[in-house]
Structures are given as structure tokens and as C-alpha cells.
Amino acid sequence: MKRMTSGGIFEDKIGYCRAVVAGGFVHVSGCVYPGTDVPDDVVAQCHGALEVIKTALADAGAEMADVVRVRYILPNADDFKPCWPLLRATFGENPPAATMISCVLIDPKYKIEIEVTALAPDA
């Protein structure tokens, strides 16, 4: 098992890893827009979260085409539809199984959190 950190502000405070490679999979924790200057636009936040995920996967030797499961978590379900074109472009011809959940996030400034599970490179 390999545990990977990114230095994100919540990792140390809460006690989790950005990603864990185990059992033939890369499990990437829920990701939000990075940094402290968070835009109010849900699509911009979605893009930022996806970039954090891409980096975590790359650090594990995987890529977005290896994602087999994604969970989208949004406080406002109506914010999901504007993200669809970006999500479709991101996953392209390799769409994963997906779930959208509407619930409160750790900070009200966040409009979307995304977590993924991908095949590990040698799986």
C-alpha cells in the first residue's frame, strides 16, 4: 500500500491522504478547488478539483482514462448540470461509473467536491 499526500490544508487537520494506492486501485480522496482564492463559479471550481485529481493520479502513475468510479458531491444539486460539458470532455471516451450526491461540504465556499477510484498502473 502506498499513501500519498499533496500538502492540502485539510489533510493534516483531519488526518487523511490525498490518495492511496492499494488492491490494484488508486483511491483519490474528495477534491475541491485548490488554494484559498476560491472562485464563486461552480464550473471553475469543478475544473480546479479535476486538476487536483489529475495531479494525484499522475503521482500514482495513472490518468483520467483509468478512472472507474467517480462521485460528485454538491451542496446545490442545480449546480451539477453546468459542469456536465466539462465532465464529458474530461472523461471523453472513457466514462466511469458515477454518482452525484447533494449534501453540505466542509466549507460553504465550495460548490463541488469530486472523488475518484482508478485502476493502478500495474493492475
Side-chain angles (χ1 to χ4, degrees), residues 30-69:
C31 298
V32 296
Y33 190 89
T36 56
D37 190 20
V38 179
D40 193 44
D41 177 61
V42 69
V43 176
Q45 286 195 27
C46 183
H47 183 267
L50 290 169
E51 290 301 312
V52 173
I53 290 167
K54 286 178 188 176
T55 299
L57 290 173
D59 289 348
E63 56 188 31
M64 294 304 263
D66 298 317
V67 173
V68 296
R69 183 79 166 119

PDB file of all heavy atoms in Angstrom, residues 30-69:
ATOM      1  N   GLY A  30     -11.828  13.010  -1.765  1.00  0.00           N
ATOM      2  CA  GLY A  30     -12.599  14.117  -2.303  1.00  0.00           C
ATOM      3  C   GLY A  30     -11.726  15.343  -2.498  1.00  0.00           C
ATOM      4  O   GLY A  30     -10.963  15.718  -1.614  1.00  0.00           O
ATOM      5  N   CYS A  31     -11.827  15.964  -3.673  1.00  0.00           N
ATOM      6  CA  CYS A  31     -11.006  17.122  -4.025  1.00  0.00           C
ATOM      7  C   CYS A  31     -11.897  18.323  -4.306  1.00  0.00           C
ATOM      8  O   CYS A  31     -12.942  18.199  -4.960  1.00  0.00           O
ATOM      9  CB  CYS A  31     -10.167  16.829  -5.261  1.00  0.00           C
ATOM     10  SG  CYS A  31      -8.990  15.474  -5.038  1.00  0.00           S
ATOM     11  N   VAL A  32     -11.453  19.471  -3.815  1.00  0.00           N
ATOM     12  CA  VAL A  32     -12.125  20.736  -4.076  1.00  0.00           C
ATOM     13  C   VAL A  32     -11.142  21.659  -4.793  1.00  0.00           C
ATOM     14  O   VAL A  32      -9.989  21.303  -5.011  1.00  0.00           O
ATOM     15  CB  VAL A  32     -12.634  21.386  -2.760  1.00  0.00           C
ATOM     16  CG1 VAL A  32     -13.702  20.523  -2.112  1.00  0.00           C
ATOM     17  CG2 VAL A  32     -11.489  21.661  -1.790  1.00  0.00           C
ATOM     18  N   TYR A  33     -11.607  22.847  -5.130  1.00  0.00           N
ATOM     19  CA  TYR A  33     -10.740  23.836  -5.767  1.00  0.00           C
ATOM     20  C   TYR A  33      -9.544  24.104  -4.850  1.00  0.00           C
ATOM     21  O   TYR A  33      -9.715  24.330  -3.653  1.00  0.00           O
ATOM     22  CB  TYR A  33     -11.530  25.127  -6.016  1.00  0.00           C
ATOM     23  CG  TYR A  33     -10.787  26.115  -6.873  1.00  0.00           C
ATOM     24  CD1 TYR A  33     -10.912  26.082  -8.251  1.00  0.00           C
ATOM     25  CD2 TYR A  33      -9.959  27.073  -6.302  1.00  0.00           C
ATOM     26  CE1 TYR A  33     -10.219  26.986  -9.046  1.00  0.00           C
ATOM     27  CE2 TYR A  33      -9.268  27.976  -7.083  1.00  0.00           C
ATOM     28  CZ  TYR A  33      -9.403  27.927  -8.458  1.00  0.00           C
ATOM     29  OH  TYR A  33      -8.725  28.814  -9.241  1.00  0.00           O
ATOM     30  N   PRO A  34      -8.330  24.077  -5.396  1.00  0.00           N
ATOM     31  CA  PRO A  34      -7.144  24.254  -4.551  1.00  0.00           C
ATOM     32  C   PRO A  34      -6.912  25.710  -4.151  1.00  0.00           C
ATOM     33  O   PRO A  34      -7.336  26.628  -4.835  1.00  0.00           O
ATOM     34  CB  PRO A  34      -6.016  23.753  -5.455  1.00  0.00           C
ATOM     35  CG  PRO A  34      -6.494  24.063  -6.842  1.00  0.00           C
ATOM     36  CD  PRO A  34      -7.988  23.859  -6.798  1.00  0.00           C
ATOM     37  N   GLY A  35      -6.232  25.885  -3.047  1.00  0.00           N
ATOM     38  CA  GLY A  35      -5.844  27.216  -2.603  1.00  0.00           C
ATOM     39  C   GLY A  35      -6.940  27.932  -1.833  1.00  0.00           C
ATOM     40  O   GLY A  35      -7.997  27.374  -1.546  1.00  0.00           O
ATOM     41  N   THR A  36      -6.682  29.188  -1.536  1.00  0.00           N
ATOM     42  CA  THR A  36      -7.606  29.961  -0.709  1.00  0.00           C
ATOM     43  C   THR A  36      -8.452  30.938  -1.508  1.00  0.00           C
ATOM     44  O   THR A  36      -9.468  31.406  -1.025  1.00  0.00           O
ATOM     45  CB  THR A  36      -6.832  30.739   0.367  1.00  0.00           C
ATOM     46  OG1 THR A  36      -5.842  31.554  -0.272  1.00  0.00           O
ATOM     47  CG2 THR A  36      -6.144  29.791   1.352  1.00  0.00           C
ATOM     48  N   ASP A  37      -8.048  31.253  -2.725  1.00  0.00           N
ATOM     49  CA  ASP A  37      -8.792  32.189  -3.568  1.00  0.00           C
ATOM     50  C   ASP A  37      -9.776  31.409  -4.438  1.00  0.00           C
ATOM     51  O   ASP A  37      -9.578  31.227  -5.636  1.00  0.00           O
ATOM     52  CB  ASP A  37      -7.826  33.006  -4.429  1.00  0.00           C
ATOM     53  CG  ASP A  37      -8.504  34.159  -5.135  1.00  0.00           C
ATOM     54  OD1 ASP A  37      -9.593  34.574  -4.687  1.00  0.00           O
ATOM     55  OD2 ASP A  37      -7.951  34.643  -6.132  1.00  0.00           O
ATOM     56  N   VAL A  38     -10.855  30.927  -3.810  1.00  0.00           N
ATOM     57  CA  VAL A  38     -11.811  30.036  -4.465  1.00  0.00           C
ATOM     58  C   VAL A  38     -12.829  30.861  -5.249  1.00  0.00           C
ATOM     59  O   VAL A  38     -13.505  31.718  -4.680  1.00  0.00           O
ATOM     60  CB  VAL A  38     -12.525  29.146  -3.426  1.00  0.00           C
ATOM     61  CG1 VAL A  38     -13.545  28.240  -4.084  1.00  0.00           C
ATOM     62  CG2 VAL A  38     -11.494  28.340  -2.636  1.00  0.00           C
ATOM     63  N   PRO A  39     -12.961  30.606  -6.560  1.00  0.00           N
ATOM     64  CA  PRO A  39     -13.949  31.346  -7.349  1.00  0.00           C
ATOM     65  C   PRO A  39     -15.371  30.951  -6.951  1.00  0.00           C
ATOM     66  O   PRO A  39     -15.602  29.858  -6.438  1.00  0.00           O
ATOM     67  CB  PRO A  39     -13.654  30.919  -8.789  1.00  0.00           C
ATOM     68  CG  PRO A  39     -12.982  29.602  -8.671  1.00  0.00           C
ATOM     69  CD  PRO A  39     -12.244  29.613  -7.362  1.00  0.00           C
ATOM     70  N   ASP A  40     -16.310  31.823  -7.213  1.00  0.00           N
ATOM     71  CA  ASP A  40     -17.705  31.549  -6.880  1.00  0.00           C
ATOM     72  C   ASP A  40     -18.390  30.701  -7.949  1.00  0.00           C
ATOM     73  O   ASP A  40     -19.475  30.193  -7.734  1.00  0.00           O
ATOM     74  CB  ASP A  40     -18.464  32.879  -6.686  1.00  0.00           C
ATOM     75  CG  ASP A  40     -19.812  32.667  -6.041  1.00  0.00           C
ATOM     76  OD1 ASP A  40     -19.898  31.891  -5.070  1.00  0.00           O
ATOM     77  OD2 ASP A  40     -20.794  33.268  -6.517  1.00  0.00           O
ATOM     78  N   ASP A  41     -17.748  30.511  -9.086  1.00  0.00           N
ATOM     79  CA  ASP A  41     -18.315  29.789 -10.224  1.00  0.00           C
ATOM     80  C   ASP A  41     -18.114  28.279 -10.072  1.00  0.00           C
ATOM     81  O   ASP A  41     -16.984  27.813  -9.907  1.00  0.00           O
ATOM     82  CB  ASP A  41     -17.650  30.284 -11.510  1.00  0.00           C
ATOM     83  CG  ASP A  41     -18.128  29.533 -12.730  1.00  0.00           C
ATOM     84  OD1 ASP A  41     -19.333  29.583 -13.031  1.00  0.00           O
ATOM     85  OD2 ASP A  41     -17.279  28.875 -13.360  1.00  0.00           O
ATOM     86  N   VAL A  42     -19.200  27.505 -10.133  1.00  0.00           N
ATOM     87  CA  VAL A  42     -19.119  26.058  -9.934  1.00  0.00           C
ATOM     88  C   VAL A  42     -18.294  25.374 -11.018  1.00  0.00           C
ATOM     89  O   VAL A  42     -17.550  24.425 -10.735  1.00  0.00           O
ATOM     90  CB  VAL A  42     -20.520  25.414  -9.810  1.00  0.00           C
ATOM     91  CG1 VAL A  42     -21.276  25.456 -11.131  1.00  0.00           C
ATOM     92  CG2 VAL A  42     -20.418  23.983  -9.298  1.00  0.00           C
ATOM     93  N   VAL A  43     -18.356  25.837 -12.262  1.00  0.00           N
ATOM     94  CA  VAL A  43     -17.582  25.204 -13.332  1.00  0.00           C
ATOM     95  C   VAL A  43     -16.085  25.440 -13.103  1.00  0.00           C
ATOM     96  O   VAL A  43     -15.273  24.523 -13.284  1.00  0.00           O
ATOM     97  CB  VAL A  43     -18.045  25.683 -14.721  1.00  0.00           C
ATOM     98  CG1 VAL A  43     -17.177  25.086 -15.819  1.00  0.00           C
ATOM     99  CG2 VAL A  43     -19.510  25.325 -14.952  1.00  0.00           C
ATOM    100  N   ALA A  44     -15.721  26.631 -12.681  1.00  0.00           N
ATOM    101  CA  ALA A  44     -14.317  26.910 -12.365  1.00  0.00           C
ATOM    102  C   ALA A  44     -13.851  26.040 -11.200  1.00  0.00           C
ATOM    103  O   ALA A  44     -12.736  25.507 -11.215  1.00  0.00           O
ATOM    104  CB  ALA A  44     -14.124  28.390 -12.048  1.00  0.00           C
ATOM    105  N   GLN A  45     -14.708  25.891 -10.197  1.00  0.00           N
ATOM    106  CA  GLN A  45     -14.359  25.022  -9.067  1.00  0.00           C
ATOM    107  C   GLN A  45     -14.233  23.568  -9.510  1.00  0.00           C
ATOM    108  O   GLN A  45     -13.334  22.851  -9.069  1.00  0.00           O
ATOM    109  CB  GLN A  45     -15.394  25.148  -7.954  1.00  0.00           C
ATOM    110  CG  GLN A  45     -15.292  26.441  -7.182  1.00  0.00           C
ATOM    111  CD  GLN A  45     -16.075  26.393  -5.882  1.00  0.00           C
ATOM    112  OE1 GLN A  45     -16.287  25.343  -5.292  1.00  0.00           O
ATOM    113  NE2 GLN A  45     -16.498  27.563  -5.422  1.00  0.00           N
ATOM    114  N   CYS A  46     -15.116  23.128 -10.380  1.00  0.00           N
ATOM    115  CA  CYS A  46     -15.066  21.766 -10.913  1.00  0.00           C
ATOM    116  C   CYS A  46     -13.742  21.545 -11.647  1.00  0.00           C
ATOM    117  O   CYS A  46     -13.071  20.532 -11.438  1.00  0.00           O
ATOM    118  CB  CYS A  46     -16.261  21.541 -11.838  1.00  0.00           C
ATOM    119  SG  CYS A  46     -16.403  19.875 -12.506  1.00  0.00           S
ATOM    120  N   HIS A  47     -13.362  22.505 -12.470  1.00  0.00           N
ATOM    121  CA  HIS A  47     -12.098  22.410 -13.211  1.00  0.00           C
ATOM    122  C   HIS A  47     -10.920  22.298 -12.243  1.00  0.00           C
ATOM    123  O   HIS A  47     -10.021  21.468 -12.429  1.00  0.00           O
ATOM    124  CB  HIS A  47     -11.934  23.614 -14.136  1.00  0.00           C
ATOM    125  CG  HIS A  47     -10.696  23.545 -14.964  1.00  0.00           C
ATOM    126  ND1 HIS A  47      -9.513  24.126 -14.573  1.00  0.00           N
ATOM    127  CD2 HIS A  47     -10.461  22.937 -16.153  1.00  0.00           C
ATOM    128  CE1 HIS A  47      -8.593  23.881 -15.487  1.00  0.00           C
ATOM    129  NE2 HIS A  47      -9.143  23.166 -16.447  1.00  0.00           N
ATOM    130  N   GLY A  48     -10.916  23.131 -11.206  1.00  0.00           N
ATOM    131  CA  GLY A  48      -9.829  23.093 -10.224  1.00  0.00           C
ATOM    132  C   GLY A  48      -9.757  21.757  -9.502  1.00  0.00           C
ATOM    133  O   GLY A  48      -8.670  21.202  -9.298  1.00  0.00           O
ATOM    134  N   ALA A  49     -10.902  21.220  -9.112  1.00  0.00           N
ATOM    135  CA  ALA A  49     -10.928  19.917  -8.435  1.00  0.00           C
ATOM    136  C   ALA A  49     -10.405  18.822  -9.360  1.00  0.00           C
ATOM    137  O   ALA A  49      -9.642  17.944  -8.933  1.00  0.00           O
ATOM    138  CB  ALA A  49     -12.337  19.606  -7.959  1.00  0.00           C
ATOM    139  N   LEU A  50     -10.795  18.871 -10.629  1.00  0.00           N
ATOM    140  CA  LEU A  50     -10.314  17.879 -11.594  1.00  0.00           C
ATOM    141  C   LEU A  50      -8.805  17.967 -11.784  1.00  0.00           C
ATOM    142  O   LEU A  50      -8.128  16.944 -11.952  1.00  0.00           O
ATOM    143  CB  LEU A  50     -11.036  18.042 -12.933  1.00  0.00           C
ATOM    144  CG  LEU A  50     -12.511  17.654 -12.933  1.00  0.00           C
ATOM    145  CD1 LEU A  50     -13.181  18.114 -14.234  1.00  0.00           C
ATOM    146  CD2 LEU A  50     -12.701  16.162 -12.719  1.00  0.00           C
ATOM    147  N   GLU A  51      -8.258  19.166 -11.745  1.00  0.00           N
ATOM    148  CA  GLU A  51      -6.805  19.328 -11.866  1.00  0.00           C
ATOM    149  C   GLU A  51      -6.085  18.702 -10.668  1.00  0.00           C
ATOM    150  O   GLU A  51      -5.028  18.082 -10.819  1.00  0.00           O
ATOM    151  CB  GLU A  51      -6.431  20.804 -12.023  1.00  0.00           C
ATOM    152  CG  GLU A  51      -6.840  21.387 -13.362  1.00  0.00           C
ATOM    153  CD  GLU A  51      -6.221  20.654 -14.557  1.00  0.00           C
ATOM    154  OE1 GLU A  51      -4.991  20.407 -14.537  1.00  0.00           O
ATOM    155  OE2 GLU A  51      -6.961  20.306 -15.492  1.00  0.00           O
ATOM    156  N   VAL A  52      -6.641  18.864  -9.472  1.00  0.00           N
ATOM    157  CA  VAL A  52      -6.061  18.235  -8.280  1.00  0.00           C
ATOM    158  C   VAL A  52      -6.086  16.715  -8.451  1.00  0.00           C
ATOM    159  O   VAL A  52      -5.107  16.024  -8.142  1.00  0.00           O
ATOM    160  CB  VAL A  52      -6.826  18.663  -6.999  1.00  0.00           C
ATOM    161  CG1 VAL A  52      -6.348  17.881  -5.784  1.00  0.00           C
ATOM    162  CG2 VAL A  52      -6.676  20.161  -6.755  1.00  0.00           C
ATOM    163  N   ILE A  53      -7.194  16.194  -8.950  1.00  0.00           N
ATOM    164  CA  ILE A  53      -7.327  14.754  -9.184  1.00  0.00           C
ATOM    165  C   ILE A  53      -6.314  14.284 -10.226  1.00  0.00           C
ATOM    166  O   ILE A  53      -5.640  13.254 -10.031  1.00  0.00           O
ATOM    167  CB  ILE A  53      -8.761  14.405  -9.610  1.00  0.00           C
ATOM    168  CG1 ILE A  53      -9.707  14.583  -8.419  1.00  0.00           C
ATOM    169  CG2 ILE A  53      -8.848  12.995 -10.182  1.00  0.00           C
ATOM    170  CD1 ILE A  53     -11.165  14.584  -8.771  1.00  0.00           C
ATOM    171  N   LYS A  54      -6.180  15.014 -11.332  1.00  0.00           N
ATOM    172  CA  LYS A  54      -5.217  14.633 -12.374  1.00  0.00           C
ATOM    173  C   LYS A  54      -3.807  14.550 -11.807  1.00  0.00           C
ATOM    174  O   LYS A  54      -3.050  13.631 -12.131  1.00  0.00           O
ATOM    175  CB  LYS A  54      -5.258  15.630 -13.525  1.00  0.00           C
ATOM    176  CG  LYS A  54      -6.472  15.507 -14.408  1.00  0.00           C
ATOM    177  CD  LYS A  54      -6.466  16.569 -15.505  1.00  0.00           C
ATOM    178  CE  LYS A  54      -7.765  16.566 -16.274  1.00  0.00           C
ATOM    179  NZ  LYS A  54      -7.830  17.646 -17.265  1.00  0.00           N
ATOM    180  N   THR A  55      -3.454  15.504 -10.963  1.00  0.00           N
ATOM    181  CA  THR A  55      -2.123  15.500 -10.343  1.00  0.00           C
ATOM    182  C   THR A  55      -1.945  14.299  -9.435  1.00  0.00           C
ATOM    183  O   THR A  55      -0.902  13.628  -9.475  1.00  0.00           O
ATOM    184  CB  THR A  55      -1.896  16.811  -9.566  1.00  0.00           C
ATOM    185  OG1 THR A  55      -1.969  17.909 -10.480  1.00  0.00           O
ATOM    186  CG2 THR A  55      -0.548  16.813  -8.865  1.00  0.00           C
ATOM    187  N   ALA A  56      -2.948  14.007  -8.610  1.00  0.00           N
ATOM    188  CA  ALA A  56      -2.865  12.854  -7.705  1.00  0.00           C
ATOM    189  C   ALA A  56      -2.736  11.554  -8.500  1.00  0.00           C
ATOM    190  O   ALA A  56      -1.922  10.681  -8.158  1.00  0.00           O
ATOM    191  CB  ALA A  56      -4.086  12.805  -6.794  1.00  0.00           C
ATOM    192  N   LEU A  57      -3.521  11.419  -9.557  1.00  0.00           N
ATOM    193  CA  LEU A  57      -3.434  10.222 -10.388  1.00  0.00           C
ATOM    194  C   LEU A  57      -2.067  10.116 -11.051  1.00  0.00           C
ATOM    195  O   LEU A  57      -1.466   9.032 -11.084  1.00  0.00           O
ATOM    196  CB  LEU A  57      -4.543  10.223 -11.446  1.00  0.00           C
ATOM    197  CG  LEU A  57      -5.963  10.004 -10.939  1.00  0.00           C
ATOM    198  CD1 LEU A  57      -6.964  10.193 -12.073  1.00  0.00           C
ATOM    199  CD2 LEU A  57      -6.124   8.640 -10.293  1.00  0.00           C
ATOM    200  N   ALA A  58      -1.570  11.228 -11.585  1.00  0.00           N
ATOM    201  CA  ALA A  58      -0.250  11.224 -12.230  1.00  0.00           C
ATOM    202  C   ALA A  58       0.838  10.812 -11.234  1.00  0.00           C
ATOM    203  O   ALA A  58       1.750  10.044 -11.586  1.00  0.00           O
ATOM    204  CB  ALA A  58       0.057  12.591 -12.837  1.00  0.00           C
ATOM    205  N   ASP A  59       0.744  11.304 -10.009  1.00  0.00           N
ATOM    206  CA  ASP A  59       1.722  10.933  -8.977  1.00  0.00           C
ATOM    207  C   ASP A  59       1.705   9.428  -8.703  1.00  0.00           C
ATOM    208  O   ASP A  59       2.703   8.854  -8.282  1.00  0.00           O
ATOM    209  CB  ASP A  59       1.458  11.700  -7.681  1.00  0.00           C
ATOM    210  CG  ASP A  59       1.803  13.181  -7.785  1.00  0.00           C
ATOM    211  OD1 ASP A  59       2.456  13.587  -8.775  1.00  0.00           O
ATOM    212  OD2 ASP A  59       1.399  13.939  -6.875  1.00  0.00           O
ATOM    213  N   ALA A  60       0.550   8.797  -8.956  1.00  0.00           N
ATOM    214  CA  ALA A  60       0.411   7.355  -8.755  1.00  0.00           C
ATOM    215  C   ALA A  60       0.678   6.575 -10.045  1.00  0.00           C
ATOM    216  O   ALA A  60       0.569   5.355 -10.059  1.00  0.00           O
ATOM    217  CB  ALA A  60      -0.994   7.035  -8.243  1.00  0.00           C
ATOM    218  N   GLY A  61       0.978   7.291 -11.130  1.00  0.00           N
ATOM    219  CA  GLY A  61       1.245   6.645 -12.405  1.00  0.00           C
ATOM    220  C   GLY A  61      -0.002   6.352 -13.217  1.00  0.00           C
ATOM    221  O   GLY A  61       0.033   5.588 -14.171  1.00  0.00           O
ATOM    222  N   ALA A  62      -1.126   6.962 -12.847  1.00  0.00           N
ATOM    223  CA  ALA A  62      -2.396   6.734 -13.548  1.00  0.00           C
ATOM    224  C   ALA A  62      -2.840   8.028 -14.232  1.00  0.00           C
ATOM    225  O   ALA A  62      -2.189   9.076 -14.109  1.00  0.00           O
ATOM    226  CB  ALA A  62      -3.457   6.254 -12.561  1.00  0.00           C
ATOM    227  N   GLU A  63      -3.965   7.947 -14.936  1.00  0.00           N
ATOM    228  CA  GLU A  63      -4.517   9.125 -15.606  1.00  0.00           C
ATOM    229  C   GLU A  63      -6.037   9.044 -15.586  1.00  0.00           C
ATOM    230  O   GLU A  63      -6.616   8.037 -15.148  1.00  0.00           O
ATOM    231  CB  GLU A  63      -3.991   9.231 -17.025  1.00  0.00           C
ATOM    232  CG  GLU A  63      -4.254   8.012 -17.859  1.00  0.00           C
ATOM    233  CD  GLU A  63      -3.545   8.061 -19.203  1.00  0.00           C
ATOM    234  OE1 GLU A  63      -2.455   8.658 -19.306  1.00  0.00           O
ATOM    235  OE2 GLU A  63      -4.106   7.506 -20.162  1.00  0.00           O
ATOM    236  N   MET A  64      -6.681  10.084 -16.078  1.00  0.00           N
ATOM    237  CA  MET A  64      -8.145  10.142 -16.042  1.00  0.00           C
ATOM    238  C   MET A  64      -8.786   8.983 -16.799  1.00  0.00           C
ATOM    239  O   MET A  64      -9.852   8.514 -16.429  1.00  0.00           O
ATOM    240  CB  MET A  64      -8.650  11.479 -16.582  1.00  0.00           C
ATOM    241  CG  MET A  64      -8.266  12.675 -15.714  1.00  0.00           C
ATOM    242  SD  MET A  64      -8.815  12.529 -14.011  1.00  0.00           S
ATOM    243  CE  MET A  64     -10.319  13.479 -14.080  1.00  0.00           C
ATOM    244  N   ALA A  65      -8.149   8.479 -17.831  1.00  0.00           N
ATOM    245  CA  ALA A  65      -8.697   7.348 -18.587  1.00  0.00           C
ATOM    246  C   ALA A  65      -8.750   6.076 -17.740  1.00  0.00           C
ATOM    247  O   ALA A  65      -9.466   5.137 -18.085  1.00  0.00           O
ATOM    248  CB  ALA A  65      -7.866   7.102 -19.855  1.00  0.00           C
ATOM    249  N   ASP A  66      -8.020   6.039 -16.628  1.00  0.00           N
ATOM    250  CA  ASP A  66      -8.010   4.883 -15.741  1.00  0.00           C
ATOM    251  C   ASP A  66      -9.105   4.932 -14.674  1.00  0.00           C
ATOM    252  O   ASP A  66      -9.281   3.974 -13.914  1.00  0.00           O
ATOM    253  CB  ASP A  66      -6.648   4.766 -15.037  1.00  0.00           C
ATOM    254  CG  ASP A  66      -5.502   4.563 -16.012  1.00  0.00           C
ATOM    255  OD1 ASP A  66      -5.666   3.769 -16.953  1.00  0.00           O
ATOM    256  OD2 ASP A  66      -4.444   5.207 -15.823  1.00  0.00           O
ATOM    257  N   VAL A  67      -9.837   6.037 -14.610  1.00  0.00           N
ATOM    258  CA  VAL A  67     -10.874   6.191 -13.580  1.00  0.00           C
ATOM    259  C   VAL A  67     -12.032   5.241 -13.872  1.00  0.00           C
ATOM    260  O   VAL A  67     -12.570   5.216 -14.978  1.00  0.00           O
ATOM    261  CB  VAL A  67     -11.370   7.661 -13.506  1.00  0.00           C
ATOM    262  CG1 VAL A  67     -12.564   7.791 -12.560  1.00  0.00           C
ATOM    263  CG2 VAL A  67     -10.231   8.573 -13.059  1.00  0.00           C
ATOM    264  N   VAL A  68     -12.399   4.469 -12.848  1.00  0.00           N
ATOM    265  CA  VAL A  68     -13.513   3.523 -12.984  1.00  0.00           C
ATOM    266  C   VAL A  68     -14.747   3.964 -12.183  1.00  0.00           C
ATOM    267  O   VAL A  68     -15.841   3.483 -12.427  1.00  0.00           O
ATOM    268  CB  VAL A  68     -13.110   2.090 -12.560  1.00  0.00           C
ATOM    269  CG1 VAL A  68     -12.031   1.547 -13.489  1.00  0.00           C
ATOM    270  CG2 VAL A  68     -12.657   2.037 -11.112  1.00  0.00           C
ATOM    271  N   ARG A  69     -14.563   4.888 -11.232  1.00  0.00           N
ATOM    272  CA  ARG A  69     -15.663   5.336 -10.384  1.00  0.00           C
ATOM    273  C   ARG A  69     -15.435   6.785 -10.004  1.00  0.00           C
ATOM    274  O   ARG A  69     -14.316   7.173  -9.671  1.00  0.00           O
ATOM    275  CB  ARG A  69     -15.690   4.490  -9.104  1.00  0.00           C
ATOM    276  CG  ARG A  69     -16.817   4.815  -8.183  1.00  0.00           C
ATOM    277  CD  ARG A  69     -18.053   4.147  -8.738  1.00  0.00           C
ATOM    278  NE  ARG A  69     -19.118   4.106  -7.799  1.00  0.00           N
ATOM    279  CZ  ARG A  69     -20.301   4.694  -8.019  1.00  0.00           C
ATOM    280  NH1 ARG A  69     -20.514   5.375  -9.113  1.00  0.00           N
ATOM    281  NH2 ARG A  69     -21.260   4.582  -7.165  1.00  0.00           N
TER     282      ARG A  69
END
